[in-house]
Structures are given as C-alpha cells and as structure tokens.
Amino acid sequence: MKTDLRSLTLNELEAKVLALNESKFRAKQIFSQVQKKGASSFDKMTELSHELREKLSQHFQISTLKTIKVLTATDGTKKYLFELPDRLRIEAVLLIDKDRRTICLSTQVGCRMKCVFCATGKMQFKRNLTAGEIVSQVIQIEAENGRISNLVYMGMGEPLDNYDEVLKSIRILIHPLGKNIGQRKITVSTCGLIPEINRLAQEKLQIRLAVALNGANDKIRSELMPINKKYPLRELIPAIKNFVRQTNRRVTIEYVLIGGQNDSPLDADALANLIRGIKVNINLIPCNPFPKSTLKRTTVENIKEFKKILEDIGFEVAQRYRRGESIAAACGQLAG
C-alpha cells in the first residue's frame, strides 16, 4: 500500500525523499504543495518536475475525503458529511464568527467512550482516523471557506483515544510550511484519559486542553460518562493539576448541563469545590437533543443561576450557545 503524503510530518517526508535518492530540499517543496496549498493530486504539484511527480506517484498517494453533503444552519454554521476511502463516514463542523473560522474536527469513526449525552457515543466504534484524514478535513473545508483560524478536536470520537495520529496531525497543521495554525488556537478535548493527559503534558506544545467533567461527584459522572469508572475524579483532578503545572497552561473545564441531573445550585457548588484553586476556565454547554436520547434540556434560568454561582466565586465562565442545532451540528449531535 502506498504511503499517504498528508499523513507525513516534514521529518518523515525528508527521510522518504532521501530514500528515493532525491535532494532533501525537495521534501519541503512537496510538504508545502500537499499541506499549505492542498494539492489533491500529483498533476497539481506544478512546482515539481514531471519526472519527480511520476516518481512520487509510484510510491505515494494523497488522501482526500469525498464530500457527500454540506448543510448550512440559519446562524451560518456548516456541517460537512465526508466519506472516507473505505466508505465509512464522518462529520466536521465549521463555525463562522466575523473573521474567525473554527473547525470542529473528528478523530474517530464512532467512539468507545459511550457518553450518554453524545450521539457519537451511541454509534459502534469502527476505527481511528489517520493523521492525513484529520488534516484533510482542514484542507478541504478551508479551500471552500477561506483561512481557518481555530481548530477544536471535539467532533466525532475521543481525540486522546487516537493519541498518536491526533498529535501527528497537530504537528503537521502547525508547521510554518503547512497551514501554520497557531498552537494556542488549537484545543484538544478529552473525556478524561489520564495516561494520555499526562503524556500530552510532556509534549512541549502550547495547545489548549479541555476536559469534560459534567459531574462533580463519581456517582453522577459515572452515570453520564462510563469512563469515570476507570478514571474516577480522585485520579482525574490530580492529572489536570499536573497538566497545568507542567505546561503553565489554563485548562478548560467542559460541563454539559442536563435537566434534573447535574444542573442544580448544589451541583454548581460541588463543581466549584472540586476545581477550586486550579487554573481553569469553565464552558457551560446546554445538553442538545439527538434521536433516541431521553435526556432533558436544562432551563435558561438554571443556566443563568449555575453560571452566576461560579462567577461569584471567581471562576471565568462562558456559556456555549447552540450553534448549528437546526442541522444537528451542535455539541453532542454528530453521528456521521
């Protein structure tokens, strides 16, 4: 099977180019053509000689995604349904806010974590995406919509359950010869995989980490997120503290508000006590409906009260609005 050029870091590409008895500087040309300019075929790599393009085609391929459908919500949010080479499907979302364009990237087909508030969690896990398939979401969406400023690894799948390919995609996307996206404009979300959080803390990257808590005690959190039985809060909170200490980066705490389960003033107080003293900000996310979900939406009043309690204590709190809900593109609604 041919090697996918979109899945190669520059260092990896340099080694392969040298193995073909080509000059090392050719790797930079190829990397820029594939990553920055988004070349989808060797014919389009016009800065290279015909002979080199022919040689490359014998050893490499360029992964692309087939766009099946694009839906646009009334608020301008776009949802892309992509088909992978093996005919499995994923979704990615583009959020447009003035000059800011953010892509919510998928990292897996399905998900092993089974969080009850997430449509992807109801799917059967099929496989991890390759770095090239993750990068292709950015290349192809940007080609239609202009320069992408921010990336959030919060689409289908648990990013840290596909650690190596996710990290490789980040290193490709931040490279100056590629899309050159600022590290601080990239957020990786996790349900709380402790070994991978500790590993990420050692990567010497300036990306943002978001951890989905959604419950301030093990009983509630385990009901909503089965992973809590493996990595309970008494172990997760120290891992978050360690990440902050190692990176000197603020962590985002994500909290999905579900009516009657975790949205009371007592829940807000419990959350505050759990994360008190840690350098964090909090994103409150109203639970979004999806087919066969039995969860209840919280009320506007509950959100306001929950937010006020946390802000009065001194936390920085943001409320996530239901962007793209009319096309099932809001948080927790992606299902391919």
Side-chain angles (χ1 to χ4, degrees), residues 51-147:
E51 291 76 17
L52 179 54
R53 282 182 276 164
E54 182 63 29
K55 182 187 287 189
L56 292 174
S57 69
Q58 294 172 11
H59 297 274
F60 301 100
Q61 62 182 4
I62 302 173
S63 68
T64 57
L65 309 175
K66 181 180 180 181
T67 302
I68 301 299
K69 186 181 295 186
V70 182
L71 298 176
T72 303
T74 53
D75 60 19
T77 299
K78 293 184 178 181
K79 181 169 73 169
Y80 284 76
L81 176 63
F82 290 121
E83 186 171 272
L84 305 171
D86 56 7
R87 305 191 71 177
L88 295 173
R89 294 182 176 186
I90 58 168
E91 292 178 333
V93 176
L94 173 67
L95 301 166
I96 301 174
D97 185 11
K98 295 182 180 178
D99 294 332
R100 176 171 169 165
R101 291 176 173 84
T102 302
I103 300 178
C104 184
L105 293 167
S106 289
T107 57
Q108 297 177 313
V109 184
C111 185
R112 282 190 271 251
M113 301 302 116
K114 307 299 181 186
C115 299
V116 301
F117 48 81
C118 178
T120 311
K122 300 295 184 182
M123 296 173 60
Q124 180 183 355
F125 174 79
K126 299 294 179 62
R127 69 171 176 86
N128 288 324
L129 298 187
T130 66
E133 289 167 339
I134 297 170
V135 167
S136 289
Q137 295 171 62
V138 180
I139 290 174
Q140 292 178 221
I141 293 175
E142 183 175 271
E144 295 182 10
N145 299 278
R147 173 71 175 165

Side-chain angles (χ1 to χ4, degrees), residues 14 24 54 95 111 164 199 207 278 299 307 309 330 333:
E14 285 175 342
K24 188 177 179 179
E54 182 63 29
L95 301 166
C111 185
D164 291 336
R199 186 178 170 190
I207 61 175
I278 310 175
T299 65
K307 185 171 184 282
I309 290 170
Q333 292 185 319

Side-chain angles (χ1 to χ4, degrees), residues 162-198:
N162 186 16
Y163 188 95
D164 291 336
E165 295 301 305
V166 165
L167 263 288
K168 183 186 280 193
S169 74
I170 291 171
R171 295 190 188 282
I172 291 170
L173 288 163
I174 65 176
H175 199 283
L177 293 178
K179 288 303 180 186
N180 195 27
I181 293 174
Q183 293 190 38
R184 298 190 179 204
K185 302 293 187 180
I186 298 175
T187 300
V188 175
S189 177
T190 179
C191 64
L193 303 188
I194 293 174
E196 287 73 22
I197 291 173
N198 291 334

